[in-house]
Amino acid sequence: MKVLSIRQPYAWLIAIGCKTIENRTWNRKFRGRFLIHASQAKPEKLDGWQESAMKKYCQEHGIVIPDFKDLPTSAIIGSVELDDIQFHEAYPDAFAEDFQYHWFLKNAKLFDKQNKEDAISDFIALIKQGGELYSASSIAEARVVLDKLESVN
């Protein structure tokens, strides 16, 4: 299974189904489900339009908005399906950036277990299955975990 590393709070927003567009500078042929990895980077601040969209979505779905600094990082937190990719100069969505490939996401799932220890086991399972990691930090973390396991065994 493929993995995409995304900064918080965007990773959480995708996993709860609020953010249905991911902005990238590249196109992919891949379509289907992938894992959401919350990167270790410090959470970003939402702009006003994004914050309004998040509050409205969470209110409609009965979701309590956590303090962004408490969101898990360096962890696999969920999965989502990549339905389509389209390039737009502009797109009317709070999370769509201009002149980007917009990855249209659907059927998001926030995992119940989101702590670092559980994420390590997710990484190990992913690596054993030949998963593809897209982020340098994810690859580095996975290698550290494997090195520790090899030294124990």
Side-chain angles (χ1 to χ4, degrees):
M1 178 166 291
K2 296 188 182 300
V3 176
L4 187 65
S5 192
I6 303 167
R7 289 180 151 216
Q8 290 288 25
Y10 301 112
W12 177 75
L13 291 168
I14 289 170
I16 65 168
C18 176
K19 185 175 187 283
T20 58
I21 291 181
E22 175 62 8
N23 303 287
R24 294 289 155 167
T25 57
W26 69 88
N27 197 351
R28 303 276 308 163
K29 291 181 182 176
F30 171 80
R31 299 295 185 273
R33 185 161 291 279
F34 64 88
L35 297 173
I36 303 164
H37 173 258
S39 73
Q40 66 183 8
K42 189 176 179 178
E44 291 187 1
K45 186 170 171 36
L46 300 177
D47 68 28
W49 193 18
Q50 292 172 338
E51 189 168 343
S52 294
M54 174 193 64
K55 286 179 179 176
K56 181 180 179 199
Y57 181 88
C58 289
Q59 184 177 24
E60 290 171 355
H61 291 85
I63 298 170
V64 176
I65 301 170
D67 188 329
F68 290 166
K69 70 178 177 14
D70 295 332
L71 290 171
T73 58
S74 301
I76 303 289
I77 66 162
S79 68
V80 70
E81 287 180 41
L82 175 56
D83 185 49
D84 195 17
I85 299 176
Q86 299 174 12
F87 183 85
H88 294 108
E89 291 180 10
Y91 192 80
D93 183 278
F95 296 101
E97 295 177 8
D98 295 345
F99 298 98
Q100 295 284 312
Y101 285 99
H102 298 134
W103 293 22
F104 291 88
L105 309 172
K106 66 179 187 178
N107 300 324
K109 180 182 178 194
L110 179 66
F111 292 162
D112 291 334
K113 57 178 189 169
Q114 296 178 33
N115 61 46
K116 213 170 205 174
E117 292 75 27
D118 290 334
I120 288 170
S121 65
D122 290 343
F123 265 126
I124 293 166
L126 180 70
I127 291 166
K128 287 181 179 176
Q129 294 170 15
E132 186 174 338
L133 300 171
Y134 286 125
S135 126
S137 65
S138 299
I139 294 168
E141 289 173 16
R143 286 187 181 139
V144 167
V145 170
L146 285 178
D147 289 345
K148 285 181 183 177
L149 281 176
E150 288 174 2
S151 67
V152 172
N153 293 333

